[in-house]
Amino acid sequence: MNALGDAHLRTWTLRFMALLAADTPDQLVWLGGRELQTKDVVEELELLCRASEGLADRGAFAPGDLRDLRAIGRRLGEIDAPSRAGLWGNALAADPVWDDIRSLARQVLLTTLNDWRQPLPRPVLPLTDDH
């Protein structure tokens, strides 16, 4: 991957970590009623956790940044199929795994950016028939 692609993927990873690190009420406000499936969030996170290994190899993340990203990946792997079903907004409030991931995401941001409190990414608007 090129440096621009690495920088983009690093930025996307850190933005996702900011969303994961946020308090549950802030996450629910961010969702804004969108029906985001838990399985889709888990799959995206698993991909970012795997990609972070290569990013660290190429210097986009420090090796120390990987410890908590790996821990997030392991925790995600422990989420069973029934817990991946349904809406992420519901899972955030009901499944304690997201509290664990929140704590780990905060640690990623502390290690990488020296502060876990980061602006949340702008929500992606759903596609409409006009676009």
Side-chain angles (χ1 to χ4, degrees), residues 3-4 29 36 64 67 72 76 108 130:
L4 183 59
V29 167
L36 189 58
R67 183 186 74 240
I72 290 171
L76 291 167
V108 168
D130 298 337

Side-chain angles (χ1 to χ4, degrees), residues 9 14 39 51 53 58 68 85 96 98 105 123 128:
L9 192 51
L14 293 175
K39 70 174 182 60
E53 296 285 338
R58 294 185 297 278
D68 296 306
W98 294 105
T128 64

Side-chain angles (χ1 to χ4, degrees), residues 15-61:
R15 286 181 180 160
F16 212 144
M17 290 301 116
L19 176 59
L20 293 172
D23 293 324
T24 304
D26 295 328
Q27 293 170 324
L28 294 173
V29 167
W30 181 89
L31 279 168
R34 282 184 300 283
E35 296 184 350
L36 189 58
Q37 296 294 315
T38 302
K39 70 174 182 60
D40 296 334
V41 173
V42 170
E43 289 171 2
E44 185 75 17
L45 277 171
E46 287 174 329
L47 177 64
L48 289 174
C49 288
R50 285 191 307 271
S52 65
E53 296 285 338
L55 290 173
D57 290 345
R58 294 185 297 278
F61 279 117

